[in-house]
Every structure is written in C-alpha cells, then in structure tokens.
Amino acid sequence: MLSPSLAQEIAGDTSAVIGFNVLITDATGTVIGSGDSSRVGTFHEASVDVIRTKEPATHTTSQALQLRGVRPGVTLPLITDGQAVGTVGITGTPAQVRRFGLLVKRQTEILLRESVMLRSRLLAERAAEKLFADIASYDPHVVEGEFLLFRAAELGFDLRLRRVAVAFEVTVPDAGARRQGAPTRDMALIRSELLRTVREVFADPQDIVATTAPGWIGVLHRLPARRPMTSLVGDCRRVTDVIAAQDGLAARAGIGEPASSVGALHDSYQDACDALRLGARVGSETRWGSPRPEGGGGSPVHLITDLRVHQVLAAVGQPARNRLLDLTAADLLTQPDWPVLRDTITAWCESGFNLVRASAALHIHRNTVVYRMNKIEQITGRPLREHRTTMALYLACLADRLGSGVPPAGDS
C-alpha cells in the first residue's frame, strides 16, 4: 500500500524541512524511505513492536544499541483505515525530535491517503475506459452482452438505463486560427484536464466518461425521463465553450440516439462518431451563406438525427456518390455559380419546398430564389416543384458536400 517511491519522496522532503533524518518502513519493518539513502532496504527492529501495538516508541542511545538497525529517536505507527501499514521514525535525541513526531506522522498519513485515493481513481478510470472500449467495439458474436452488463454493474453502472452516446473531439487549430501568442497544446498532456471539464457537466453517477483516443472523449450519458434533447445539446455546448475558452483548443461534439441495451449503446456511439465526422465535412461550412442555427452545422454540436441522409450517402462510398452527382447534376456542375445553385436546391428541400422559408434561410429576397430556381429548371429541363426530381438533385447536392472537393459558396 505504501510504495517505496512515495516513501522515499516523503522521507527526503521531510528530512530537508525539519533538519532531522526521517525514516519510513513498510509493515514488515523494512526501510523503504530515508533521508539517509544508505538505510533503505535495511531492517528496523523497533518498527515491529510499533506496528503490532500501534503505539509510538522512543529510544535512547543505549536502547537503540540493543535493537537491530535502530538509532536514537522516535518511531510512530502509520495508520490507514485502522490498520498499521508501516512506521515513520525521526533520528535524534527523543527530547529534540518528539515535538516533530505527531506532525510528521499526520502529514505522512495524509499523503498516503491521497496516494491511495489517486491510485483508486486511476484504476476506476482505466476500468471505465476498458468498459467503454468494449461497448464501442461490441460484437455479439464475440462477446455476450450479459457479460458487459455484469462488468458494468461491478463498476456501479447499470447499462439497462436509458442512455445516449456523445463523442467529443478536441483539436489544436492551425496556427492561423489560433489567437496570437496562444501556446500550442499537447492532447496527451492535458488529458486529465479535458476529462475534468467533461465530468463537471456530465456529473451524473451513471454517466460513463472515458478517453477513447488522444483528443477524443466519449460519454454514455444517462438520459432522464422527459429530458428534451435540446437540454443535452446545451450541455454539450457548455463543454465545447469551456474547452474553446482555453487558449489554442477547439472542440466539437457528436450526439447519437437514445439506447437502453449494450448493442444499442454500441450503435449510439458509432452514430455519435459519424455525426462528428459528417459534421466536420458538411456542418462546419456556412449554410447558404450564413451560420446554421443551434444544433446545425454552424454549431460545434452535431446530432445524428440531422445527418441521417448524409450518413446513408457516406455509407455507399465515393464512387457511387460521384456517379449520382454526375448523372443528376452534370449540366449544373459546369455553371460558374454551381455552389450558389447547389445551396438554393438544398435550402428549397430543407425548407419543405416553401419559397418564403427558403428565402429566409438563404437571407435573400424571394425573387432572387425564384430567379435561381428558374435558372435551375432551364438548365436541367425539369421542374423543381416535382418532388421526386428535386429530391434526386438534393441528394446530389449532399453528395457534392460530402466529398467532391468543390468549396462551398463564399469559401476561397
């Protein structure tokens, strides 16, 4: 329980402060830390009785000569959870060092408790990370869901509760995007700081928070009954705002679907990662010339429910998307204002084929929308009010956003 490295650190630092040699033994009386390094590894006979009785003992010069490895001074038990786990001794005449005894004992016990708590917390974090990783890679043909339910229960988590997966990605922006003079940050070095930030918001005892890779943090958030998703979006936004406020960092979040089984949690986390990946490709762009509203692309928080069509298109692969784009919008692609026409088609479809809402989304006059739509109809030879035709064009526009390499309108 009392590690030699910690004992040596405590003994060395304390000896330097009080001016007397401090010695620490383990529960067998073996010296594991001392201001006099030559005593490390030796046997301190006086510690045996101190550990047995849990009572301090003092030794004069004549008494010390009769005991193996003992010098004049005071020896006190180190007590943790009612058990003597070792001793701390101070070398010197008892009259000189007795006044330091209780202070050194208490300080050593405090440091020992803190070390045990830190070790326990680190072990709990590693166990949570392993559980999270097993859920993220869950395959019912390899691991039974009941086994993961049991392991989670041992850690205090009930995977049968309704949860939703959230994936956070923290990155260091390019030098041009960082504030002048802001230091660069290493994700591995600030891992604990990032985990603490996420846990301060996702503080429910049933929330499972773990790092999944450098700069990536996953959350399996317990979703209380009747809690709207907008509230979860707000929590994610709080996390990204706090992280973004730290110089040199940028953060985004992806949110999956609610789940209450191991398999569904696996799918929810994969969806959250897809939301992050797709949000980076289509969501961070300006939508029709202006930032998207909360929960949309202009936000650092992306919901898979807003990106299901994109997810399906991404799953079919780039060759199929390119073929859809070339066969459906070939004539439009040759137009110099293709990005503008593409955004107009997207706005028209996502506004429910409503002219007023489309013009509001594009922040342009409705007559401008009518002009663009007429142009699109003339080029394609198909009416945009024919929904089957328009939906094919809409999917082609999304395919273009996902990976044709054509920059969005207004980008350089």
Side-chain angles (χ1 to χ4, degrees), residues 129-153:
E129 286 179 1
K130 181 66 168 62
L131 175 65
F132 201 112
D134 287 345
I135 293 172
S137 60
Y138 173 68
D139 183 343
H141 299 293
V142 177
V143 179
E144 291 187 5
E146 289 295 326
F147 175 70
L148 291 182
L149 284 172
F150 175 77
R151 272 186 48 209

Side-chain angles (χ1 to χ4, degrees), residues 212-227:
T212 57
W216 281 73
I217 297 175
V219 180
L220 297 180
H221 169 59
R222 186 181 76 87
L223 203 58
R226 300 187 184 136
R227 190 192 185 197

